[in-house]
Amino acid sequence: MQALTTRSKVASNKKMTFVEKLYIPAILGGLRITLNHFFKKKVTIQYPEQKREFAPVFRGQHVLKRDENGAERCTACGLCAVACPAEAITMTATERKPGEESLYREEKYASVYEINMLRCIFCGLCEEACPKEAIFLTDRIVDTDYVRQNFIYGKDKLVEPINNRIDVSVRETKETREFKTHPGYAHNKLYTKPSKA
């Protein structure tokens, strides 16, 4: 049979010495490494007594934002679900009924909006895809649990409370902040930059 390469390796049949057969040098070398670790600074954080400081762009639990008037921003367009590489987001779109104008911003809203936190990889593509600035990843840590069903977060856990708004200004892009400085601008309208004459 012909070899796949022309490289050859010389096999050694070198006999072990008596000291090597006792394995004492190898054992002592392993103990030396272990003892060195005893005197090094510990890297373990004793959570929850100690808490590590997160970066400002840390991506944690999602939030569905409300507008200035308290209405839900989400219009159930489905772009976040399409953009999600883990397919963790599911939603059901429903038409807004008369009298619900203060609850939902647009004619269509998500009656069911669920994120499977076990599937989510916290990549942030959902917030980039959202044209309404409805979903953001916050600095909150997802709660632990022992039951898989409790990791499917619905609107009860995702929609921000009216009286306790969640600040996501760190997650906004520079272009979004600049857009918000214009008082007459609104979503879903086409704007052109004024030409310099």
Side-chain angles (χ1 to χ4, degrees), residues 32 52 56 72 77 80 86-87 106 109 115 117 119 121 148 160 162 169 173 179 197:
R32 190 188 87 237
R52 184 172 297 199
E72 290 181 20
C77 64
C80 56
E87 297 178 1
E106 305 286 338
Y109 71 96
I115 299 178
M117 291 297 182
R119 297 190 78 175
I121 58 174
R148 293 180 70 86
E160 72 176 344
I162 293 176
S169 57
T173 61
F179 179 83

Side-chain angles (χ1 to χ4, degrees), residues 89-103:
I89 302 174
T90 56
M91 69 184 72
T92 304
T94 306
E95 292 288 326
R96 182 178 68 188
K97 295 177 179 64
E100 294 182 334
E101 289 80 12
S102 62
L103 298 174

